Amino acid sequence: MARYNFKENERKWQEIWEDRGCFQVSEDKDRPKYYVLEMFPYPSGRIHMGHVRNYTLGDVVARFKKAMGFNVLHPMGWDAFGLPAENAAIENKVPPAEWTRENIATMRRQLKTMGLSYDWTRELATCEPGYYRHEQKMFLDFLKNDLVYRKESWVNWDPVENTVLANEQVIDGRGWRSGALVEKRQLSQWFLKITDYAQELLEGIDQLGRWPDRVRLMQENWIGRSEGAHVHFTLDGRDDKLEIYTTRPDTLFGASFCAVAANHPLAQELAAGNSALTDFIAECNRMGTSEAAIETAEKKGFDTGLRAVHPFIDGRTLPVYVANFVLMDYGSGAIFGCPAHDQRDLDFARKYDLPVLPVVAPKGADAASVMIEDEAFTDDGLLINSDFLDGLGVAEAKSRVIDRLEDMGIGTRAVNYRLRDWGVSRQRYWGCPIPIIHCGDCGIVPVPEQDLPVELPAEVDFSGAGNPLDKHPTWKHVDCPKCGKPATRETDTFDTFFESSWYFARFCAPQSEQPLDRAAVDYWLPVDQYIGGIEHAVLHLLYSRFFTRALKKCGYLSVEEPFAGLLTQGMVCHQTFKDADGKWLFPSQVALDGNDAKHVETGAPVVAGRSEKMSKSKKNVVDPEAIIDAYGADTARLFMLSDSPPDRDLEWTDAGVDGAWRYLNRLWRLVTENTAPIAAVDMAKPDTIGSAAEDVLKAVHKTIDGVSQDLEKFHFNKAVARIRELTNAVEGLKETGPDAEWVRRQGLEALTLMVAPMTPHLAEALWHELGHDGSLVADTAWPTADAAYLVDDTVTVAV
RNA sequence: GCGGGCGUGGUGAAAUUGGUAAACACAAGGGACUUAAAAUCCCUCGGCCUUUCGGCCUUGUCGGUUCAAGUCCGACCGCCCGCACCA
């Protein structure tokens, strides 16, 4: 029985696409553009199934849109800076650049076997000076446009590795690699003013109609807008005031203390002559930031002895504490505590025996009977014990009290955001050098544009701790561009999220001498459809949204939102296996027989565990290259699309792969075994069509209609199901005669064109078998459904 | 704690705005072909009752709205995800 030769065909059609430059594009004002982009990979070494899923999804969209007549930009590149390259350098003594470039070569070769419709002429790697020099220029522009500043800030410091760690790299209060307890340290860092755009970024979310609600909500929460008031408390016996931030100014009459953060200037000042307070502040700074540490940490405070004067109650003063639960970088780093209506304040008040006065009563409750025990009352209610606020609801009381504070000149309405400015300095070698020179006389001096790029030195020493750039014998020593005296380069590099914040724009004109080619970005941006993992829901996707606005401010482009549509794909999962000693086993080491799992070689019993995201550590991985080798790219692609919707997790099973492979062969046989009698490409439509054939013809057009809609909505699994149904229908058409043959041909051509976005190599082979010698499916328009065949003769009505 | 999502056969799933639940597959069982196997093809495949015809039940649980509920509303149970001392 004829089998589809995937090896020969996949190679053949990939070469033809490449030779003809099928997927190379340029700006074309006469055609609608469509920019589809998958999140570019970090070149870790080899592609994994997550990549296969991501790029398959993108390729289906790209090929479908191309067939629909769009001018499709579909590029690929490499997010090439990052920590693993440095680890490899330390472990294997390979320079990061070399390691990275080798990985890129391997992964490019692997990706090319997938038959993806990329315009490879646009490929870029962020670790190349040709890319990051533009990033350095952008940073200088950000500096000019007041989007960057340098400040001392508290960072996660790993004392063993001598470097800053990102929050994500701190796991349960310890360095993710060294396991050392992470300390808080103050360090001079570069920051991008993302908070300037907090409101814009928040409002922009509403425009992102083609983003998943989940991601929009996560960004909204991350930005974390809150409305409240700043209140200035007079400090008894001092001239300065204590500014606090509150979202509950309505509860001011229930205030029983004030508290400031350990790093609040007031605390620092008072600690100068007070060793007990100094010790307390140190203790606060040592406190872990992990979830567990925060959950179990007791609310602790240190009475400074200062007393704050209550703004409304004559003669009432409030003790001012330094407290471990007050954060310096939110609001003003100081609060007033109203124990009756805030749980933390209540815990604190119970510990230090402070008054608990209820000022909000549940609606309908008798004011005199309101008692606070262990739980603060935080719901809406009516104000009590609050002078001019008594009887008001919470919302109205807030407004009324702020009006009064403003009249008195001691408070203002205020909006606060949880979002912090983006610290971009990293004490790392394998990143983009920050183009700054530190001069003893001139201070901070930007590297002049004509001196860009500041290139990373190739020869570096990775032995010992700390940043190799800092230890390099010559690299950092330069003359000050301003005064000419000996000075030093900034040895920090950018956070690697910097590169991924603008690569989508660089793809529009990757060879341009300018960072961005204005005509190209104006034509292609925004990205019409972006596809990637949900893990970037906040960081990368928020940074990119900010970056785009910053680039607009600097005159580089005119859009504000980089990604008009977003599809977040689910994870690729696989069952896990362990041997009797509890060691993880690769699926390829396990033989399954029903529910019985055994080791392939030893026959020893194997414990089958739950299905989880494929990960190297649990060994539940299947190598894409092995699958492509054994079944071909089309099989892998079809399987990825068949059973699960793209945003849901996908369970990788051998049986499912077999099923996809069987389908390809079925379609191959259906076409090749039918081509002889229906080979004429220009066969004319017969005048009469028998009823069996007509049913199939209707199915053809209904399928075209349904699949088109499914692909438009990314319901790939449904599209596959429809295509299989039509395959069954065409296969079931046993009639002969010109009408049946004509309909059969309609069916086979439609099937060929409709499977093309999913299994493009097979589609080209089928197209060729059907007699289309001169044309490629890749250049052929999507079939159109004839409305005449979409209506049923009978309609079923349920009563 | 706060916010969000999900729950349908043995499995992945489908069911357009409320309108024949389980399409399309996977797995399983049976059969055909074969010396045998692979491949392929055919049949069965949510549960209960029934020889057949057919009947009754079934979308986590309980209740509600409706001529009609997997879908809408309320409560509960379970699982998953995000954020978290944010004043």
Side-chain angles (χ1 to χ4, degrees):
Chain A
M1 188 161 299
R3 281 246 205 150
Y4 169 62
N5 187 333
F6 69 85
K7 279 215 161 109
E8 195 179 283
N9 271 291
E10 294 192 349
R11 199 184 316 115
K12 172 181 163 186
W13 297 107
Q14 283 165 18
E15 277 170 20
I16 290 175
W17 293 329
E18 182 147 2
D19 288 348
R20 299 204 192 173
C22 281
F23 308 115
Q24 285 181 36
V25 287
S26 53
E27 292 92 90
D28 177 356
K29 295 263 184 293
D30 297 330
R31 278 198 296 160
K33 67 95 184 178
Y34 194 89
Y35 184 0
V36 55
L37 182 66
E38 299 105 59
M39 291 180 184
F40 66 164
Y42 177 77
S44 53
R46 301 175 62 79
I47 62 167
H48 54 65
M49 282 300 177
H51 294 130
V52 174
R53 190 176 195 196
N54 194 177
Y55 307 144
T56 297
L57 295 171
D59 204 46
V60 172
V61 174
R63 287 177 180 268
F64 173 60
K65 289 290 174 180
K66 183 174 185 330
M68 293 291 282
F70 287 90
N71 189 25
V72 173
L73 174 58
H74 189 211
M76 178 44 73
W78 311 96
D79 190 13
F81 276 136
L83 216 47
E86 289 188 52
N87 293 340
I90 295 163
E91 282 161 31
N92 312 324
K93 314 273 183 246
V94 194
E98 196 181 303
W99 184 85
T100 303
R101 285 180 192 135
E102 276 171 17
N103 288 346
I104 289 174
T106 303
M107 291 173 74
R108 182 194 300 115
R109 179 183 59 72
Q110 291 185 311
L111 284 191
K112 288 201 172 182
T113 66
M114 282 184 64
L116 301 163
S117 64
Y118 292 131
D119 180 352
W120 281 105
T121 65
R122 292 174 187 258
E123 180 184 357
L124 57 80
T126 59
C127 64
E128 302 299 341
Y131 182 84
Y132 68 69
R133 58 184 261 228
H134 301 298
E135 191 164 301
Q136 293 173 337
K137 165 81 164 70
M138 287 174 182
F139 179 77
L140 298 180
D141 284 330
F142 288 174
L143 210 52
K144 282 181 205 152
N145 281 275
D146 195 27
L147 288 160
V148 182
Y149 63 96
R150 189 173 170 81
K151 79 163 184 202
E152 293 263 308
S153 91
W154 292 91
V155 294
N156 305 308
W157 183 261
D158 185 322
V160 170
E161 305 230 324
N162 280 328
T163 187
V164 166
L165 297 179
N167 286 333
E168 306 81 58
Q169 293 165 334
V170 180
I171 295 154
D172 279 335
R174 291 172 182 275
W176 66 304
R177 229 167 23 152
S178 68
L181 276 174
V182 168
E183 298 169 0
K184 285 181 183 170
R185 263 207 199 181
Q186 223 173 7
L187 222 65
S188 241
Q189 305 264 291
W190 288 101
F191 286 84
L192 297 197
K193 288 190 182 172
I194 190 170
T195 55
D196 277 8
Y197 292 85
Q199 188 60 30
E200 264 192 55
L201 289 167
L202 187 65
E203 284 167 4
I205 292 171
D206 292 340
Q207 314 305 315
L208 301 173
R210 290 197 294 115
W211 280 40
D213 290 344
R214 196 153 69 114
V215 175
R216 300 198 303 172
L217 194 70
M218 279 161 74
Q219 292 216 350
E220 206 174 298
N221 291 340
W222 188 267
I223 294 168
R225 182 189 155 102
S226 79
E227 291 177 26
H230 281 130
V231 184
H232 301 264
F233 280 83
T234 302
L235 291 170
D236 207 13
R238 285 175 65 113
D239 294 335
D240 56 343
K241 302 215 169 187
L242 178 65
E243 183 186 359
I244 62 94
Y245 175 72
T246 178
T247 56
R248 293 298 302 274
D250 54 302
T251 64
L252 257 172
F253 283 92
S256 55
F257 66 96
C258 285
V260 302
N263 297 318
H264 192 277
L266 186 64
Q268 298 287 317
E269 180 203 318
L270 296 170
N274 186 334
S275 65
L277 181 53
T278 308
D279 290 347
F280 180 75
I281 290 171
E283 189 193 326
C284 291
N285 284 337
R286 269 198 310 275
M287 195 175 72
T289 50
S290 71
E291 186 179 326
I294 286 166
E295 205 128 276
T296 54
E298 210 181 337
K299 306 275 174 285
K300 280 188 183 172
F302 185 99
D303 190 346
T304 60
L306 286 178
R307 294 293 175 264
V309 179
H310 195 284
F312 299 130
I313 306 172
D314 274 349
R316 171 81 59 86
T317 62
L318 309 171
V320 178
Y321 286 82
V322 175
N324 65 352
F325 66 94
V326 180
L327 305 173
M328 187 56 226
D329 46 8
Y330 184 79
S332 55
I335 62 162
F336 83 81
C338 175
H341 305 290
D342 182 286
Q343 193 58 45
R344 285 158 310 171
D345 296 349
L346 184 61
D347 295 345
F348 191 81
R350 294 296 187 216
K351 184 172 169 72
Y352 294 102
D353 208 18
L354 297 161
V356 179
L357 174 68
V359 289
V360 182
K363 281 195 172 123
D366 173 23
S369 72
V370 176
M371 293 285 288
I372 301 294
E373 303 284 343
D374 301 331
E375 228 174 283
F377 176 72
T378 54
D379 294 341
D380 195 10
L382 298 176
L383 274 283
I384 55 172
N385 301 325
S386 294
D387 192 357
F388 63 97
L389 300 175
D390 281 349
L392 298 177
V394 165
E396 207 188 338
K398 280 183 187 175
S399 180
R400 191 77 64 88
V401 77
I402 297 173
D403 288 345
R404 180 71 66 98
L405 290 165
E406 287 183 335
D407 287 347
M408 294 163 70
I410 55 166
T412 50
R413 269 196 174 72
V415 171
N416 241 295
Y417 299 91
R418 212 184 68 100
L419 185 69
R420 319 273 165 76
D421 276 335
W422 176 16
V424 294
S425 300
R426 295 289 182 272
Q427 293 66 45
R428 291 284 171 203
Y429 164 74
W430 194 232
C432 171
I434 299 176
I436 292 291
I437 290 163
H438 298 272
C439 171
D441 289 347
C442 311
I444 288 167
V445 183
V447 172
E449 281 179 24
Q450 66 269 19
D451 293 348
L452 295 181
V454 177
E455 281 198 49
L456 283 172
E459 297 293 317
V460 285
D461 177 15
F462 277 100
S463 60
N467 181 354
L469 283 181
D470 202 35
K471 297 180 301 182
H472 194 277
T474 56
W475 184 78
K476 71 173 176 183
H477 302 290
V478 286
D479 293 338
C480 172
K482 249 190 193 166
C483 67
K485 285 187 195 155
T488 55
R489 287 191 186 285
E490 169 100 29
T491 58
D492 287 354
T493 53
F494 286 130
D495 180 0
T496 55
F497 277 111
F498 219 97
E499 284 82 52
S500 54
S501 293
W502 67 285
Y503 79 110
F504 49 88
R506 182 68 185 168
F507 272 137
C508 298
Q511 270 92 39
S512 173
E513 278 303 305
Q514 297 303 311
L516 299 177
D517 179 294
R518 191 59 194 251
V521 293
D522 282 351
Y523 178 80
W524 291 113
L525 291 182
V527 173
D528 294 279
Q529 191 59 48
Y530 198 33
I531 305 173
I534 187 81
E535 66 272 19
H536 295 292
V538 174
L539 293 170
H540 160 59
L541 290 167
L542 190 63
Y543 291 148
S544 298
R545 294 182 62 220
F546 156 66
F547 226 83
T548 303
R549 286 169 168 80
L551 289 174
K552 186 185 179 192
K553 186 177 183 189
C554 298
Y556 281 107
L557 40 70
S558 27
V559 296
E560 276 165 4
E561 290 294 343
F563 313 120
L566 176 69
L567 175 63
T568 50
Q569 100 226 24
M571 300 180 295
V572 181
C573 301
H574 196 286
Q575 202 175 17
T576 50
F577 301 104
K578 278 182 181 175
D579 64 15
D581 300 331
K583 290 207 180 103
W584 299 105
L585 294 171
F586 288 107
S588 54
Q589 295 175 288
V590 178
L592 276 178
D593 183 20
N595 289 327
D596 213 32
K598 281 183 178 159
H599 196 287
V600 170
E601 283 154 22
T602 65
V606 167
V607 183
R610 52 176 278 189
S611 177
E612 292 182 60
K613 179 188 181 175
M614 282 191 183
S615 76
K616 279 183 196 165
S617 62
K618 287 176 183 157
K619 293 196 175 177
N620 59 339
V621 289
V622 175
D623 181 17
E625 197 169 332
I627 295 295
I628 291 172
D629 212 46
Y631 292 93
D634 283 342
T635 296
R637 293 169 58 124
L638 182 62
F639 171 68
M640 284 291 177
L641 299 163
S642 290
D643 284 344
S644 295
D647 54 347
R648 230 181 275 184
D649 287 352
L650 174 95
E651 173 78 8
W652 181 275
T653 61
D654 292 344
V657 177
D658 274 334
W661 167 237
R662 278 202 296 271
Y663 175 74
L664 296 194
N665 279 291
R666 220 174 114 211
L667 191 55
W668 173 253
R669 282 195 306 273
L670 186 61
V671 169
T672 53
E673 287 167 12
N674 277 306
T675 42
I678 59 162
V681 172
D682 52 359
M683 186 188 285
K685 182 179 177 182
D687 294 332
T688 56
I689 293 174
S691 73
E694 173 146 2
D695 285 348
V696 174
L697 187 58
K698 280 185 179 171
V700 169
H701 287 274
K702 280 185 181 170
T703 305
I704 292 171
D705 185 52
V707 169
S708 305
Q709 290 180 41
D710 287 339
L711 294 189
E712 208 69 67
K713 290 185 267 184
F714 312 128
H715 295 169
F716 305 118
N717 55 324
K718 290 198 247 171
V720 171
R722 281 186 212 274
I723 288 170
R724 295 184 89 130
E725 271 181 287
L726 180 61
T727 307
N728 293 343
V730 173
E731 215 172 37
L733 181 64
K734 298 300 181 196
E735 275 73 6
T736 51
D739 62 331
E741 275 165 22
W742 181 80
V743 168
R744 193 172 291 123
R745 180 169 191 91
Q746 299 301 305
L748 294 177
E749 294 214 343
L751 283 170
T752 298
L753 294 174
M754 285 190 289
V755 296
M758 307 172 185
T759 60
H761 312 87
L762 175 73
E764 296 290 4
L766 296 175
W767 196 239
H768 183 75
E769 290 293 324
L770 285 165
H772 296 277
D773 286 328
S775 72
L776 293 178
V777 174
D779 296 323
T780 302
W782 191 251
T784 47
D786 185 338
Y789 296 109
L790 297 181
V791 283
D792 278 310
D793 297 333
T794 56
V795 178
T796 313
V797 180
V799 181

